[in-house]
Amino acid sequence: DVKVTQSSRYLVKRTGEKVFLECVQDMDHENMFWYRQDPGLGLRLIYFSYDVKMKEKGDIPEGYSVSREKKERFSLILESASTNQTSMYLCASTSWGGDKDEAFFGQGTRLTVV
Amino acid sequence: AQKITQTQPGMFVQEKEAVTLDCTYDTSDQSYGLFWYKQPSSGEMIFLIYQGSYDEQNATEGRYSLNFQKARKSANLVISASQLGDSAMYFCAVTGGFKTIFGAGTRLFVKA
């Protein structure tokens, strides 16, 4: 039973391209997150959203933007892809502090920018 | 602000033995949650265990238990009876509601 789905498992894009990474969750969670994972650096938070049309910068937002037009969908946008954005991107959705505390991840998108 | 520290970049354990993965955290939230995830080589993040800051008892899930010491801001993961399939990266995370922050991870190697 898939809970968080990322649109692509692997992507290869050229420098300067605009890249969209999509994430969809089916658990009616309020909070959604985008992380990037690099060797030795763990997971670093790029952006997160706690409600529709709401977004907050994480620790490394430069070069990225996000969109949350619907509760179930959170998109990460690379306006002009660069080689230093080659990474594994992970989307997560969470519910915390209410009836249930849980957090689930998508399967990850490995992006290569050439 | 929240911060997670996992001081062990790599750990070795003999199959069938227990292992403890360290995690310390810092948060200004009065109420918060702690998560542990496993990431095998396939890259997916697998939820293992959760501890709420208001929970007095340590969380347990099968072979996983969380040694929660609130005063020391410590949330170590204990894996009992290690199996070869436990070889993976393990991440600790803290959430204060809106924001969830992860540590750098610990790579666990289980030896046969």
Side-chain angles (χ1 to χ4, degrees), chain A residues 100-112:
Chain A
K100 56 184 177 180
D101 298 331
E102 59 184 14
F104 292 98
F105 280 85
Q107 76 277 29
T109 296
R110 193 169 292 280
L111 173 67
T112 302

Side-chain angles (χ1 to χ4, degrees), chain B residues 7-49:
Chain B
T7 57
Q8 306 152 312
M11 286 280 288
F12 287 88
V13 65
Q14 195 68 40
E15 193 180 10
K16 300 181 184 176
E17 291 185 353
V19 63
T20 298
L21 306 184
D22 294 341
C23 173
T24 57
Y25 61 91
D26 192 11
T27 178
S28 54
D29 294 306
Q30 293 297 311
S31 182
Y32 52 90
L34 296 152
F35 294 87
W36 274 94
Y37 289 87
K38 172 184 177 181
Q39 187 183 44
S41 56
S42 58
E44 61 190 305
M45 294 286 277
I46 302 169
F47 166 75
L48 295 179
I49 196 166

Side-chain angles (χ1 to χ4, degrees), chain B residues 18-21 36-40 46-51 58-67 76-90 108 110:
Chain B
V19 63
T20 298
L21 306 184
W36 274 94
Y37 289 87
K38 172 184 177 181
Q39 187 183 44
I46 302 169
F47 166 75
L48 295 179
I49 196 166
Y50 168 80
Q51 177 88 41
N58 286 343
T60 59
E61 290 284 349
R63 294 187 298 112
Y64 304 107
S65 61
L66 202 152
N67 184 1
N76 298 339
L77 177 71
V78 180
I79 305 174
S80 62
S82 298
Q83 301 171 356
L84 295 178
D86 293 335
S87 293
M89 281 289 286
Y90 289 81
L108 178 66
V110 180

Side-chain angles (χ1 to χ4, degrees), chain A residues 11-30:
Chain A
L11 271 181
V12 180
K13 295 292 183 181
R14 295 193 182 279
T15 302
E17 277 192 74
K18 190 170 186 176
V19 181
F20 292 87
L21 302 183
E22 305 285 346
C23 177
V24 177
Q25 52 100 357
D26 62 2
M27 295 166 287
D28 201 36
H29 283 170
E30 304 84 11

Side-chain angles (χ1 to χ4, degrees), chain A residues 9-10 31-33 35 37 40-45 48-50 57-59 88 90 92 94-97 101-108 110, chain B residues 29 31-35 37 39 41-47 50-55 89 91 93 95-105:
Chain A
R9 191 70 191 268
Y10 299 95
N31 309 322
M32 296 187 74
F33 303 79
Y35 298 89
Q37 183 181 15
L41 297 177
L43 276 73
R44 292 181 292 167
L45 181 62
F48 64 101
S49 167
Y50 52 87
K57 293 180 180 179
D59 299 319
M88 168 72 99
L90 288 157
T94 74
S95 175
W96 191 84
D101 298 331
E102 59 184 14
F104 292 98
F105 280 85
Q107 76 277 29
R110 193 169 292 280
Chain B
D29 294 306
S31 182
Y32 52 90
L34 296 152
F35 294 87
Y37 289 87
Q39 187 183 44
S41 56
S42 58
E44 61 190 305
M45 294 286 277
I46 302 169
F47 166 75
Y50 168 80
Q51 177 88 41
S53 61
Y54 41 81
D55 292 332
M89 281 289 286
F91 292 96
T95 182
F98 291 155
K99 198 171 178 181
T100 301
I101 299 295
F102 286 79

